[in-house]
Amino acid sequence: MNKPTETNSVQSTFDRGVDAASGSVHKAIDSASDASGPAIKKATDTAHSTVDSMTKGAHQASETVSAKSAQLQHLQQQLADSTRAQIRNHPLLSLGVALASGALFAMWLNRNAGEKNAS
């Protein structure tokens, strides 16, 4: 699983990409505006505003995904720690559950394989 620093690195890479794309779109809008008359000025201002809103939304989405990723990593660590503690406290019960689960899974696979062969 990614570590928080890797998640932050991915987020910063994504943010740089969004900023670069936003800058390119702004340059294209400015070029179109310079080539046209003042009547287009209002349209270019609206386009700039739209690009800025989209950039802000992309950054917010990136931050939200990064925060949720960190929460999931923390939850995964808690679950792993809890499972380890249960296995250490009840080793025979854990072994019995593992064997029973394996047997049920094997029976299920054999049944599915038999159904496929009969078809």
Side-chain angles (χ1 to χ4, degrees), residues 105 107-119:
F105 188 64
M107 288 175 22
W108 179 74
L109 286 176
N110 285 334
R111 190 177 113 221
N112 284 342
E115 289 175 1
K116 287 182 182 179
N117 289 336
S119 295

Side-chain angles (χ1 to χ4, degrees), residues 1 65-78:
M1 193 90 200
V65 167
S66 178
K68 292 298 179 187
S69 175
Q71 287 176 349
L72 285 173
Q73 288 173 354
H74 180 69
L75 183 60
Q76 177 190 12
Q77 187 61 44
Q78 284 180 328

Side-chain angles (χ1 to χ4, degrees), residues 56-111:
K56 182 180 176 184
H59 283 295
Q60 288 174 342
S62 174
E63 290 171 3
T64 300
V65 167
S66 178
K68 292 298 179 187
S69 175
Q71 287 176 349
L72 285 173
Q73 288 173 354
H74 180 69
L75 183 60
Q76 177 190 12
Q77 187 61 44
Q78 284 180 328
L79 183 60
D81 292 343
S82 173
T83 303
R84 277 189 208 101
Q86 286 295 325
I87 291 171
R88 284 188 186 117
N89 291 336
H90 307 285
L92 293 177
L93 177 62
S94 300
L95 180 63
V97 169
L99 289 173
S101 298
L104 288 173
F105 188 64
M107 288 175 22
W108 179 74
L109 286 176
N110 285 334
R111 190 177 113 221

Side-chain angles (χ1 to χ4, degrees), residues 21-82:
S22 174
S24 297
V25 172
H26 278 296
K27 287 177 186 175
I29 292 169
D30 289 338
S31 295
S33 176
D34 292 343
S36 62
I40 304 297
K41 178 73 172 136
K42 185 175 181 181
T44 58
D45 288 344
T46 301
H48 277 296
S49 176
T50 301
V51 170
D52 289 342
S53 295
M54 290 171 54
T55 301
K56 182 180 176 184
H59 283 295
Q60 288 174 342
S62 174
E63 290 171 3
T64 300
V65 167
S66 178
K68 292 298 179 187
S69 175
Q71 287 176 349
L72 285 173
Q73 288 173 354
H74 180 69
L75 183 60
Q76 177 190 12
Q77 187 61 44
Q78 284 180 328
L79 183 60
D81 292 343
S82 173

